[in-house]
């Protein structure tokens, strides 16, 4: 009988599946592994603007996907991997004429 309060570690990675199979945005393969924040931002912008299945504005969809990836992969990202992703947020804001934070 299992002990209450103890949870088995779920090996199913639903977030990886969402990133890979989400039809809201058709992302370029391995775009989040790029070290160039401008390339990441431009790719997200292009994907968001080409998508006809998104529910929000292109900016919101692109930023949402970027934040989703950062939040879901967060524990496993090194500082050198996370830095270009965080910088891509400001690049994305600039591409859409939004104020940079």
């Amino acid at each position: 009988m299992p002990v209450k309060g103890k949870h088995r570690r779920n090996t199913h990675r639903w977030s990886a599946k969402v990133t890979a199979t989400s039809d809201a945005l058709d992302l370029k393969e391995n775009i989040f592994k790029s070290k160039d924040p401008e390339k990441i931002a431009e790719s997200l912008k292009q994907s968001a603007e080409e998508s006809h299945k998104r529910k929000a504005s292109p900016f919101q969809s692109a930023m949402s996907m970027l934040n989703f990836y950062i939040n879901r992969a967060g524990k496993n990202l090194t500082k050198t991997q996370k830095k270009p992703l965080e910088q891509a947020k400001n690049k994305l804001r600039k591409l859409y004429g939004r104020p940079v934070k």
Side-chain angles (χ1 to χ4, degrees), residues 33-84:
K33 293 182 181 178
S34 173
K35 294 180 179 172
D36 183 3
E38 198 160 314
K39 184 177 178 182
I40 296 168
E42 287 173 356
S43 178
L44 284 168
K45 182 180 184 203
Q46 180 182 7
S47 296
E49 289 179 349
E50 289 176 357
S51 174
H52 299 289
K53 297 180 182 181
R54 63 181 155 67
K55 296 178 182 177
S57 72
F59 172 75
Q60 289 172 316
S61 294
M63 187 64 78
S64 177
M65 186 57 85
L66 181 56
N67 281 320
F68 173 80
Y69 184 79
I70 292 170
N71 292 339
R72 291 293 123 204
K75 286 189 278 184
N76 299 322
L77 290 175
T78 65
K79 286 183 181 180
T80 55
Q81 290 172 317
K82 193 171 183 178
K83 187 176 180 181

Side-chain angles (χ1 to χ4, degrees), residues 3-22:
V3 178
K4 286 189 177 183
K6 298 281 182 176
H7 296 282
R8 285 187 325 163
R9 177 128 173 105
N10 188 357
T11 58
H12 177 70
R13 301 282 186 210
W14 64 269
S15 58
K17 183 179 178 186
V18 169
T19 303
T21 63
S22 171

